[in-house]
Amino acid sequence: MAGVRRVHQTHWVGGSFPAAVPPGMEHAIIVGNDDDVHVTTIASLVTRAYGPTVEPISDDEAPIEIPMTDAQLADAERYEQNIRELMSWSESVTG
């Protein structure tokens, strides 16, 4: 299907939801499977009062592939850029 790519799982969210940090990114994360995929940031997940854990998959696990649409990739790129800008601003303010 055009406009859909598959990214290899890099993490588990809450111990049971497959997730992937897209290539070239550090902060955005795709969470889900073939039926239900969401784009968010790692910070957004782990800073909630009862937020889920975000753990890398182990070296002996075979990563699954998670589908990601072009629109979801654009969202991930935007989230990634927003986090980088916030970090840069924070560093300039705090010195």
Side-chain angles (χ1 to χ4, degrees):
M1 175 175 12
V4 175
R5 66 195 78 229
R6 294 195 167 274
V7 292
H8 289 283
Q9 176 189 11
T10 57
H11 290 77
W12 287 107
V13 172
S16 60
F17 296 100
V21 174
M25 298 186 196
E26 298 176 54
H27 311 287
I29 192 165
I30 308 296
V31 181
N33 56 35
D34 285 336
D35 300 323
D36 192 21
V37 176
H38 300 278
V39 181
T40 189
T41 64
I42 294 171
S44 178
L45 289 172
V46 300
T47 57
R48 296 179 183 155
Y50 297 99
T53 59
V54 179
E55 301 288 334
I57 63 171
S58 66
D59 291 338
D60 62 340
E61 287 183 90
I64 67 165
E65 291 185 331
I66 301 170
M68 180 173 64
T69 66
D70 289 343
Q72 288 167 326
L73 177 59
D75 286 345
E77 289 170 340
R78 189 176 75 249
Y79 292 165
E80 186 75 15
Q81 182 62 33
N82 289 347
I83 294 284
R84 288 176 194 242
E85 288 174 7
L86 284 170
M87 290 172 63
S88 176
W89 175 83
S90 177
E91 289 172 5
S92 71
V93 170
T94 61

